[in-house]
Amino acid sequence: SPGSGKTMTSMEVLRQWANCSMFEDSILALYVPARRITDDMRTEWDVLELSSPIYGLPAVEVREVQAYVKQHPRRVLIVLDGLDELKESLVKEGSAVSKVLGGRHDLGVCRVMVTSRPCNRARIL
């Protein structure tokens, strides 16, 4: 729900990451606003392409980012903001979102940070 501080928390984590005071071993941070995730997204990369460093890039540059993530997954931080705002079908097992949340997927093993209202944690877990 709006106004509970999820995005502000995500932005603060990203600011601290950029200042090398948090997640120092991560070279690339991908911020993904969950509210932009749709039913037609089938792969984890469909979800990650919504991230601010990638969204709107030419296909050649997207492939370069994807190659980096595949080669150095442990150096990538994924911030998935507002998971509680997704409908249940987008979080079910086998969905693109669940692959990102699991941290193990075609892109390798990435660190994932999620923001969500606590009242919805049972649905997410």
Side-chain angles (χ1 to χ4, degrees):
S1 84
S4 59
K6 298 178 299 250
T7 299
M8 187 176 78
T9 299
S10 294
M11 292 299 120
E12 178 60 20
V13 166
L14 291 169
R15 185 187 69 74
Q16 288 188 29
W17 168 79
N19 290 325
C20 298
S21 59
M22 184 179 276
F23 302 115
E24 300 90 5
D25 57 336
S26 295
I27 301 298
L28 176 64
L30 302 174
Y31 169 76
V32 179
R35 67 185 159 275
R36 293 182 51 204
I37 297 171
T38 61
D39 288 321
D40 61 337
M41 295 179 176
R42 300 287 178 234
T43 69
E44 56 275 22
W45 193 250
D46 291 337
V47 172
L48 296 181
E49 281 184 345
L50 294 174
S51 70
S52 51
I54 299 172
Y55 188 72
L57 284 179
V60 171
E61 292 179 33
V62 169
R63 283 192 296 275
E64 288 176 13
V65 173
Q66 188 175 17
Y68 180 84
V69 173
K70 284 182 177 183
Q71 292 171 3
H72 308 283
R74 295 188 185 276
R75 307 214 60 187
V76 176
L77 169 65
I78 300 168
V79 178
L80 186 56
D81 182 27
L83 189 66
D84 60 303
E85 297 174 29
L86 291 177
K87 52 187 181 175
E88 286 191 43
S89 64
L90 293 173
V91 187
K92 69 182 180 196
E93 190 171 339
S95 69
V97 173
S98 72
K99 292 175 186 175
V100 172
L101 288 175
R104 290 186 166 283
H105 37 66
D106 292 341
L107 301 175
V109 181
C110 300
R111 177 180 288 146
V112 180
M113 187 199 102
V114 176
T115 63
S116 175
R117 290 178 48 212
C119 63
N120 291 323
R121 71 174 177 231
R123 188 190 90 172
I124 295 165
L125 299 175

